[in-house]
Amino acid sequence: MKRLFYPTIIMSLVLASCSSDDEAGDVQQDIEVPTNYVFERGGETTVQYSGQTTRLQMTAELIGSFKDFDSATEESLLNMFAHVEGANDFDNSELNTSGKNIKSKTAASVDYFSANVAESAEIKADFESFISQQVNEVFPNENAAATAGVAGQIADGSSARYVTGKGLELNQAFAKGIMGALLADQMLNNYLSTAVLDEASNREDNDNLMLDGDNNYTTMEHKWDEAYGYLYGDPSIPTADPNSALGVSDDHLLFNYLGVVNNDEDFAGIAQNIFEAFKTGRAAIVAGDYELRDEQVTMIKEGISTIIAVRAVYYLQAGKQAIAENNMGAAFHDLSEGYGFMYSLRFTNNPNTGAPYVSSSELETFKTQLLEGNGFWDVTPETLDSISETIAMAFDFTVEQAAN
């Protein structure tokens, strides 16, 4: 079967980027790619992405609060989403002092939404709707059995899943959807956008080592690091060598699924390829090689987009299998995760087109197909296969590869 990623491609690039000797004599290249994500100037780090770490922590705590039946309210959850500096919204007091929030960066990229504010507002409203439905529809039925058209709990082995009347687990829809609407959108369509990296005099300033205010980095270096932070910014992930934490970090967002997809033999090497591309692109910025930088952007966009697509197909197929086994709790859980990842496809970026791999209109059709009538209670294997095949075809892998 076809593999999407080839580690030897990146390895060759790294070796070619360093100084080496051959029979023709010394060959000195300008680009030196470090083993780890370590970049310094004057003996001090130039890497900083604390804002991304803050938003990842806010997102994680908000998702966890979706099942706080005892104390969470619609107001408290919406306030966590749209946090205002100084408000006591989070258990982590450091987050409360921050002026950052999740909502302002959701569907807010330069490339996709600077001229599309109406859709941005609709997407933000979707995530607020997930919150409101959870409190107003699911919370009151915490102890009731879910049935078609009626929210409540449904058994999934020894666990209980809490779903809407359509079978949708809203915490899963929010969690997997925000990976695209916040993390991927900011990473791929904002901070790695040429419009952001090369904004105004960024190239000239970077060439002349014009630092950003009192900081030890150029503006372009910092924008690149902010993209890096949306993937690797959880505090449990080592800054320099993040892949050492694959499968063992506390992250349950995009980095977690980077590890999951990397463990699939059909996509083995994707984690290292993305990491190498981030390192190489950052080294290229230091050296002022913007062609090499942009080559790495292409690889990152393809890699991150593929992670989202693979998991969308995986969960839709897992849900189909659970339905066949009449395990509806497991089916609804898988389909809810699949729905969220499918939602995130809107924020993928095909570098060949500069647009999502699957169009917004197609995704709206898929959402309708999954949730029309009684939603997951009525969804058919044919519908799940059709959606899965369309997604897989757009990314040039097979349903079977993703469903392993």
Side-chain angles (χ1 to χ4, degrees):
M1 289 186 292
K2 176 182 177 181
R3 285 180 181 268
L4 219 65
F5 294 88
Y6 299 87
T8 53
I9 294 176
I10 282 288
M11 187 58 67
S12 297
L13 173 61
V14 173
L15 293 175
S17 299
C18 301
S19 60
S20 62
D21 296 330
D22 59 21
E23 293 180 359
D26 292 342
V27 177
Q28 183 67 44
Q29 301 289 344
D30 293 331
I31 310 297
E32 293 188 4
V33 181
T35 301
N36 294 324
Y37 201 83
V38 176
F39 297 91
E40 296 181 337
R41 182 173 291 116
E44 296 183 0
T45 184
T46 62
V47 178
Q48 204 270 358
Y49 47 83
S50 59
Q52 285 62 47
T53 296
T54 294
R55 286 194 172 90
L56 292 180
Q57 290 177 300
M58 288 178 170
T59 301
E61 189 169 330
L62 172 55
I63 293 168
S65 297
F66 260 74
K67 294 173 72 174
D68 183 1
F69 292 95
D70 294 328
S71 58
T73 65
E74 182 178 13
E75 181 182 16
S76 70
L77 296 179
L78 289 173
N79 285 345
M80 292 173 79
F81 184 57
H83 172 70
V84 176
E85 183 176 0
N88 190 30
D89 296 323
F90 298 95
D91 290 338
N92 184 339
S93 59
E94 292 184 5
L95 300 181
N96 293 327
T97 63
S98 175
K100 303 182 185 303
N101 64 44
I102 304 165
K103 181 178 179 178
S104 66
K105 294 294 185 178
T106 297
S109 64
V110 167
D111 283 354
Y112 282 3
F113 299 105
S114 61
N116 198 358
V117 294
E119 187 184 6
S120 175
E122 290 172 1
I123 291 168
K124 289 177 172 67
D126 281 346
F127 285 95
E128 291 174 327
S129 176
F130 293 151
I131 290 171
S132 298
Q133 281 184 273
Q134 180 75 356
V135 175
N136 297 319
E137 184 178 347
V138 177
F139 275 19
N141 284 9
E142 175 189 1
N143 297 314
T147 57
V150 179
Q153 63 170 271
I154 187 167
D156 175 11
S158 60
S159 301
R161 303 296 179 186
Y162 300 91
V163 300
T164 68
K166 293 181 180 290
L168 181 63
E169 217 178 338
L170 291 162
N171 60 315
Q172 295 298 334
F174 187 102
K176 276 54 181 184
I178 206 71
M179 291 185 203
L182 174 64
L183 278 66
D185 188 49
Q186 284 295 301
M187 189 190 317
L188 309 183
N189 312 316
N190 195 66
Y191 289 116
L192 295 183
S193 164
T194 302
V196 171
L197 289 171
D198 291 344
E199 184 180 9
S201 61
N202 282 0
R203 278 204 183 194
E204 180 181 356
D205 292 345
N206 191 67
D207 290 338
N208 294 324
L209 289 181
M210 181 75 69
L211 300 185
D212 184 354
D214 295 330
N215 298 299
N216 194 34
Y217 48 70
T218 68
T219 298
M220 189 186 296
E221 289 172 339
H222 186 50
K223 297 304 181 185
W224 188 274
D225 292 338
E226 289 183 293
Y228 181 89
Y230 272 112
L231 181 60
Y232 302 110
D234 186 272
S236 66
I237 301 171
T239 302
D241 183 17
N243 284 349
S244 65
L246 288 173
V248 297
S249 78
D250 295 333
D251 179 88
H252 295 289
L253 296 170
L254 201 50
F255 179 78
N256 174 60
Y257 289 96
L258 169 66
V260 172
V261 174
N262 189 70
N263 284 338
D264 182 336
E265 65 178 9
D266 293 308
F267 304 96
I270 189 172
Q272 188 62 29
N273 281 347
I274 291 173
F275 183 48
E276 294 291 351
F278 265 114
K279 288 190 303 172
T280 304
R282 183 60 156 78
I285 290 173
V286 174
D289 187 337
Y290 305 117
E291 181 177 353
L292 179 59
R293 177 202 71 180
D294 292 345
E295 291 172 1
Q296 309 316 301
V297 170
T298 293
M299 298 181 72
I300 295 168
K301 286 181 176 180
E302 290 174 344
I304 297 299
S305 297
T306 297
I307 292 166
I308 292 169
V310 169
R311 294 315 284 177
V313 172
Y314 172 87
Y315 282 117
L316 293 176
Q317 290 298 302
K320 184 186 78 168
Q321 181 62 33
I323 290 173
E325 296 168 354
N326 200 33
N327 185 348
M328 301 311 290
F332 292 173
H333 179 63
D334 288 330
L335 292 177
S336 296
E337 294 194 85
Y339 179 91
F341 275 113
M342 188 186 73
Y343 192 105
S344 281
L345 290 172
R346 168 65 183 89
F347 311 96
T348 60
N349 189 310
N350 183 341
N352 294 321
T353 64
Y357 282 80
V358 182
S359 70
S360 296
S361 60
E362 283 183 295
L363 292 174
E364 287 303 316
T365 298
F366 296 161
K367 293 176 195 175
T368 299
Q369 291 175 332
L370 289 176
L371 294 181
E372 62 186 349
N374 287 320
F376 296 161
W377 294 96
D378 297 336
V379 72
T380 66
E382 292 77 15
T383 293
L384 297 175
D385 281 341
S386 176
I387 295 173
S388 297
E389 288 163 4
T390 300
I391 295 170
M393 185 178 300
F395 284 83
D396 198 24
F397 59 74
T398 68
V399 171
E400 289 73 21
Q401 285 175 308
N404 289 344

